[in-house]
Amino acid sequence: MDRLYGSLYSSLSHFRTCDNLDGVNTYVAREGSRVSAIFLYRVAGKSIQVINEGMRLSAEDVSRFCDALFARYGRNVNVSFHAVQIDGPVLPFTQQRFFCTEDFVATLPDSADAYLASLGSATRKNIKRHKNRLERAFPDLQYRLDAKEAAKEEDVRDVIALNRIRMAQKSQASFIDEDETQRILRIVRACGKVFSVRIDGRLAAGAIVLQIGDSVISKVNAHDARYDDYRLGMLCCYLAVCAAIESGAKRFHFGHGRYEYKTALLGKHEYYDHVAIYRSRLHMLLHARQATRIAYDGYRFEASRWLLDRIDTGDGQGWALLRQALAVWRSRKHRHGSRLTA
């Protein structure tokens, strides 16, 4: 699965450390001696849920999989994928498809020098200038990369702590509680790396990344606001991408969230969908309650995403007032979350 999909949520490292495979069935497709698709799925009554996510799939592979399931479990079952990209309609079946998440992904060249050369001229100039300024201002500056068991728990927790501080400065609540921290520690030991920038022996910036096949996925990144003038956050991310290239990675996943630095570092916006597949329109009607819920959730999520995008980018006094209201709501949500976890 690592080779096929390069996705954290479709890797054995994830299932072994952060999930479980109880009650899971496995579908494997081959082309000659080569495995072309692996889907893990659970059956609950007439609903079949594929549990590996973040995959780029061909419509042909999905169609063959659904054919096999309908033949085994009956035509009245429905099949669901979450957070996938499918390259076309899954014929001849009826389907519901709604946007559910996003990612920014950079395709990587063979060398860090080639990557730097491929950046825009302004980005390239700024990276060189700020890196030189930083190294001149702090002669004891250290870059460090530790992988798997060599990565220290203290460093992981320090990066997470910086991330919490940065989120609070943006009036946003961090989703990383102690349970999530423990999951991150486990997955780092299995397939992760911690890239850190230290000044005076203290963490100034860091990135926690995970390598799955030839993809590197950014899990957590943060920097100390005292070094904003050096653009240390973007610089740390750039250096983490260079380290990924040196490890042989072909893709770098910056994750969801629309920030300018991701596109400046060549991340391209990619959409992932929730897809429900039925044998026919008649069979979808037999699952009317579930189909209605999927449609309601899908349209509601797409509408909220559209509204948030407009609030973030809209011109005029009305949108500015909505931005202020959203910032106040996020601030109150953060304070409420702080009380709950104190």
Side-chain angles (χ1 to χ4, degrees):
M1 288 194 296
D2 290 5
R3 173 185 65 80
L4 286 171
Y5 306 125
S7 166
L8 171 62
Y9 299 106
S10 189
S11 69
L12 286 179
S13 294
H14 167 71
F15 291 114
R16 286 169 176 165
T17 60
C18 302
D19 208 327
N20 70 76
L21 296 175
D22 294 344
V24 168
N25 301 277
T26 304
Y27 166 91
V28 179
R30 298 179 183 274
E31 294 179 359
S33 60
R34 186 174 184 272
V35 174
S36 58
I38 300 176
F39 300 139
L40 308 179
Y41 65 93
R42 288 190 173 97
V43 181
K46 294 295 183 179
S47 295
I48 297 174
Q49 176 67 54
V50 176
I51 65 169
N52 42 332
E53 303 176 2
M55 303 175 288
R56 298 173 179 84
L57 305 172
S58 72
E60 291 78 12
D61 278 336
V62 176
S63 294
R64 284 194 292 268
F65 172 63
C66 291
D67 268 331
L69 293 189
F70 292 139
R72 179 173 181 179
Y73 297 102
R75 294 189 171 201
N76 195 28
V77 299
N78 64 84
V79 183
S80 295
F81 291 82
H82 188 70
V84 295
Q85 296 174 326
I86 302 177
D87 64 8
V90 184
L91 300 175
F93 308 120
T94 299
Q95 63 181 309
Q96 294 176 286
R97 187 183 298 203
F98 292 98
F99 165 76
C100 67
T101 191
E102 64 188 358
D103 194 1
F104 285 81
V105 184
T107 300
L108 304 179
D110 293 332
S111 70
D113 287 342
Y115 175 63
L116 179 62
S118 66
L119 300 177
S121 59
T123 301
R124 187 167 60 247
K125 179 179 178 181
N126 285 334
I127 285 174
K128 291 179 178 178
R129 180 166 64 89
H130 291 305
K131 186 171 182 289
N132 289 336
R133 286 181 60 233
L134 187 71
E135 291 173 351
R136 286 197 302 269
F138 305 100
D140 64 342
L141 180 74
Q142 293 180 330
Y143 304 118
R144 185 180 178 91
L145 182 66
D146 296 303
K148 298 183 179 180
E149 294 292 344
K152 299 178 181 179
E153 177 175 345
E154 178 184 1
D155 291 343
V156 171
R157 288 185 176 277
D158 285 348
V159 174
I160 291 172
L162 279 180
N163 177 264
R164 287 198 184 105
I165 293 170
R166 293 295 289 176
M167 294 287 285
Q169 291 168 343
K170 298 176 183 179
S171 298
Q172 298 178 19
S174 173
F175 70 94
I176 307 177
D177 57 13
E178 180 58 27
D179 287 342
E180 179 64 15
T181 297
Q182 290 297 328
R183 283 190 284 270
I184 291 172
L185 286 166
R186 291 195 297 271
I187 198 70
V188 165
R189 295 184 189 110
C191 62
K193 299 177 183 180
V194 179
F195 180 82
S196 58
V197 180
R198 293 186 172 277
I199 295 174
D200 294 331
R202 298 180 60 183
L203 184 73
I208 299 171
V209 301
L210 310 170
Q211 183 146 9
I212 306 294
D214 57 7
S215 291
V216 168
I217 299 125
S218 176
K219 185 67 176 174
V220 186
N221 61 81
H223 72 282
D224 191 320
R226 289 178 294 180
Y227 306 102
D228 279 352
D229 288 345
Y230 299 93
R231 296 296 303 275
L232 186 54
M234 182 174 182
L235 181 59
C236 179
C237 191
Y238 161 75
L239 293 172
V241 175
C242 291
I245 293 171
E246 292 172 1
S247 74
K250 300 301 181 185
R251 288 174 299 279
F252 191 94
H253 296 251
F254 295 95
H256 65 85
R258 302 183 183 187
Y259 298 102
E260 184 180 352
Y261 78 89
K262 296 180 180 181
T263 52
L265 295 177
L266 304 186
K268 294 185 177 180
H269 195 197
E270 295 192 359
Y271 292 96
Y272 292 81
D273 297 326
H274 180 86
V275 182
I277 301 168
Y278 310 86
R279 185 68 186 83
S280 67
R281 290 185 181 274
L282 174 60
H283 290 99
M284 185 172 75
L285 288 174
L286 295 174
H287 294 274
R289 180 178 295 181
Q290 178 178 334
T292 300
R293 177 177 53 79
I294 291 172
Y296 173 76
D297 290 342
Y299 286 124
R300 181 168 59 94
F301 188 82
E302 290 182 351
S304 65
R305 168 56 64 180
W306 176 86
L307 180 60
L308 288 173
D309 287 345
R310 291 301 304 271
I311 290 174
D312 286 339
T313 62
D315 294 327
Q317 185 176 5
W319 293 114
L321 290 173
L322 284 174
R323 275 193 290 274
Q324 293 174 9
L326 181 61
V328 170
W329 177 81
R330 284 171 171 168
S331 178
R332 289 176 177 173
K333 182 180 178 183
H334 171 71
R335 288 197 297 270
H336 179 62
S338 296
R339 287 195 298 271
L340 289 177
T341 57

